[in-house]
Amino acid sequence: MDTLLKPDNVGLFELAERVLPGAGLGGYALPEDIRFVFSEGAGARLRDVEGREYIDYVGGAGALILGHSHPPVVEAAQDQAARGMHMFGTLSEPAIRLAARLVEDIPCAEKIVYATTGSEATAYAMRLARAFTGRDMVLKFEGAYHGNHDYALTSTFPTALGNDPHGQNDTAGRPAGTRATMLVAPYNDAQAVERIIRERRDELAAIIVEPVQRIIPARPEFLQALRRICDESGVLLIFDEVVTGFRLAYGGAQVHYDVTPDLASFGKVIGAGGPLACVGGRAEILDLCDPRRKGEPNYVYFNGTLHGNPVAAAATLAMLDELARPGIYDRLNGFAEATCAECQKILDRHGLPAIAENTGSLWQILFMARSPDSQADIMAGDAAAARRLDVECMKRGIYALPGVRRFFSTTHGEPELADTLRVLDASCRAIN
Ligand SMILES: Cc1ncc(COP(=O)(O)O)c(C=O)c1O
């Protein structure tokens, strides 16, 4: 095993092939000829170990809304790290101050509980909803991603439509009992939800929804209808704000849409790239987690080694100070809109049947005629063509995972716009 660890004996890819399944970190495999290993990030740019530079539209999967290594965030993290990387079991000042800040800023949050990842936050939210309602089932939407756990992995990557209400299984290894507790409905379709609720209201604990499902924005009236349906049926409404929280708007999609859920999961931007996520919601629900209630029948267990990690909490507080400055979101979203408009001109000039689509600072190039409103629209698009274009862009220095929705940060500016348009133009030529 010793020799594996000597970098001069073996290249980094070869080493990764030997010790990581698929030589990767998760669900994404890049084509063999464009693999690279990052060494550093600054602002909107990444550099690999061979010195090549990339414009970064992955942004740590959306966590880095201020770009890489934003100085006040780095300073806050370094300052806290020097005074202690982690404390477990009792409180740290950054953990308390961040909780107070989130309760102030998130409309649905009378209290929060910490988690380490977005997946853990959605799992806690579902568990809380089950405990609070005494019901087992959760309704999600076809094509929505809620993380890596067994409850979430239903019809996340459907290969065909029309699997509602039972959904398609997304992974081997999920127990049948878990699968049986999840239902699915088509996104942006309140009537389908009402049909399911009519039949299953006494079994349903919650509806969990992404307010922007991947790249599809919720129609405002869809979220309003979900709120009404939940109020009428005693089902809890969970917003999965792991992506939209403090990205679509300060406070989250619930501020943008003016619809307040019962519970909401946050991660990515909340965490500032560190190991921190949370669930916010009504106090009477979150208080089920109060450890002084251990032994009561509806006490909800939540606990984790890294919960409330002070380094991530300090970094997040520094980031929220920046995000709270007036005009930040207008500038970020305006820049996203303007970049997409310029990208659209290039796609049109090359005669490609594609759209450069953005919702706030989320964006993607999709091969379809009009903005998607449903998973059916997404599946009717030409995903292979989109992937071909994204791969060509990546070869020329744009880091955006092929076929995956991407993110702007506040550090993307005119130089990135110019480089992006130049790369897109060359990439369109390459696939045409
Ligand atoms: C909407 C949504 N929920 C949950 C998650 C899971 O978060 P994590 O990857 O931090 O576990 C993600 C991750 O991409 C997400 O996009």
Side-chain angles (χ1 to χ4, degrees), residues 208-223:
I208 186 167
V209 61
E210 284 187 85
V212 177
Q213 182 173 295
R214 311 293 80 197
I215 193 65
I216 313 168
R219 284 194 237 130
E221 59 273 22
F222 173 62
L223 295 181

Side-chain angles (χ1 to χ4, degrees), residues 117-120 122 145-148 210 214 240 242-243 268 405:
T117 64
S119 300
E120 205 183 0
T122 63
Y145 185 68
H146 299 298
N148 54 26
E210 284 187 85
R214 311 293 80 197
D240 181 353
V242 169
V243 166
K268 297 194 191 277
R405 178 261 341 261

Side-chain angles (χ1 to χ4, degrees), residues 105-107 241 244-247 249-255 266 329:
D105 292 341
I106 301 170
E241 294 238 38
T244 54
F246 294 83
R247 176 166 285 279
Y250 192 86
Q254 51 197 281
V255 171
F266 290 81
Y329 287 90

Side-chain angles (χ1 to χ4, degrees), residues 158-227:
T159 52
L161 292 167
N163 297 293
D164 46 303
H166 293 292
Q168 266 186 3
N169 181 34
D170 295 322
T171 178
R174 283 174 81 212
T178 307
R179 286 156 60 175
T181 64
M182 296 300 296
L183 297 175
V184 300
Y187 193 64
N188 267 336
D189 185 343
Q191 281 180 349
V193 174
E194 274 182 301
R195 269 198 308 277
I196 293 172
I197 294 271
R198 262 199 303 276
E199 286 163 25
R200 320 290 287 244
R201 60 186 293 162
D202 295 337
E203 298 163 87
L204 264 180
I207 297 174
I208 186 167
V209 61
E210 284 187 85
V212 177
Q213 182 173 295
R214 311 293 80 197
I215 193 65
I216 313 168
R219 284 194 237 130
E221 59 273 22
F222 173 62
L223 295 181
Q224 288 154 10
L226 292 184
R227 182 64 278 175

